[in-house]
Amino acid sequence: MARFTRRARIGAGIALVTTAALALTACSGAADATDADSTGVDASTATSVDDFGSFEDLEAAAKAEGQLNVIALPRDWANYGEILDLFAEKYPEITINEASPDVSSAEEIQAAETNKGLDTAPDVFDLGLTVALQNTDSFAPYQVQTWDDIPEELKEPTGLFVGDYGGYMSIGYDSSAFDAPSELADLLSADYKGAVAINGDPTQAGAAFAAVGLATVQSDGTLDDFQPGIDFFSELQKAGNMLKVDVTTATVASGETPVVFDWDYLNAAHTADNPDWKVEILDGTGYAGYYNQAINVDAPHPAAARLWQEFLYSDEVQNLWLKGGARPVRMAAMVDAGTIDEDLASALPEAPEETVVPTEEQSTNAGTLLGEKWAAAVQ
């Protein structure tokens, strides 16, 4: 799989997409997730390891289930391939079923609804904030053992959804054909005619949503009102500079999308296919964002879903996000504890002096505004 567009997946999904596009292959009905396992533990209601008795008891319950259904996890996205393979190596008794790696956050939720009661339903989600906020009824609360290391502002208090890895919105470009943009307005010039793409539709994709957020704050706006960002992309469209092409590894390698708004860790990954590819984080205010993990309240394999969460927030996997160029949510605590991979941390791009992250209210309001205004602005 060579796509980064899954996010046409991530996050800021306002409109749900057609069910037919993502229905998972239906198999036999799921086992009743409310049934207690052989130890008498009801995994579907467990809110921490303590409810299982110990971490070893959680592992045993997950191994007994023997399956984990994941969705929308591209292997070339923030090092997910290595992370999935490590889980499979660590727990060979648990088969990972990887479904629809390129679908959006909104489509993840739709897949859960479509497959509710089937053993093919997703056990876990990886979501942008807006979709997470809109669908809290779909999640089961769970607090991992490393809960206290996660900043309060990056987790729902009961553990319905929790930030995990993130980065900064950036501009990637083919340096053999274009100069580095020093400010947002540079992209409106004739030098960038038909060259500038965003990663998805901002009403459905967190990466595209964040591109509008970056354009907003780089246009002297605030995250309370995304209109300046919408206006910028409207100008980009009128100038003939905006490309309406889904960004993938292949489109970057071929030169079809030579200038791309995307997360810094995704843009940086394109250098493997195009050595002339460079990544620019604009001076001034930077826009940061995290993706969230959540457990399906109707997970067919509830113990495996909880073991997956514990795995993702372990030191080992937090360092694997770092290896993928993303910033793990526990990074500050791991620096203090001396468990961070210092070489990988030092290789990250320098962060902007001033950074903004949208609040829940700002994210929700921006999503509503984009749903009302985006299509007309870039038609």
Side-chain angles (χ1 to χ4, degrees), residues 274-350:
N274 181 352
D276 293 318
W277 192 258
K278 305 293 184 185
V279 183
E280 190 75 18
I281 296 177
L282 296 175
D283 290 339
T285 304
Y287 184 106
Y290 282 79
Y291 294 115
N292 299 273
Q293 304 293 341
I295 296 171
N296 184 358
V297 69
D298 297 310
H301 312 106
R306 286 154 176 80
L307 181 61
W308 174 250
Q309 302 303 303
E310 295 286 355
F311 174 74
L312 293 180
Y313 290 92
S314 67
D315 286 352
E316 188 171 20
V317 177
Q318 291 283 290
N319 275 318
L320 288 181
W321 295 128
L322 197 57
K323 186 176 178 181
R327 290 164 170 81
V329 75
R330 292 182 51 236
M331 186 167 180
M334 289 172 65
V335 169
D336 291 343
T339 57
I340 201 76
D341 187 313
E342 294 181 2
D343 290 338
L344 293 174
S346 63
L348 291 173
E350 186 176 349

Side-chain angles (χ1 to χ4, degrees), residues 26 110 166:
Q110 188 65 56

Side-chain angles (χ1 to χ4, degrees), residues 61-87:
K63 291 174 184 178
E65 290 175 349
Q67 304 279 327
L68 173 69
N69 297 345
V70 300
I71 186 171
L73 305 186
R75 287 181 156 266
D76 53 1
W77 179 278
N79 206 25
Y80 253 125
E82 187 169 354
I83 290 167
L84 288 161
D85 290 344
L86 179 62
F87 186 86

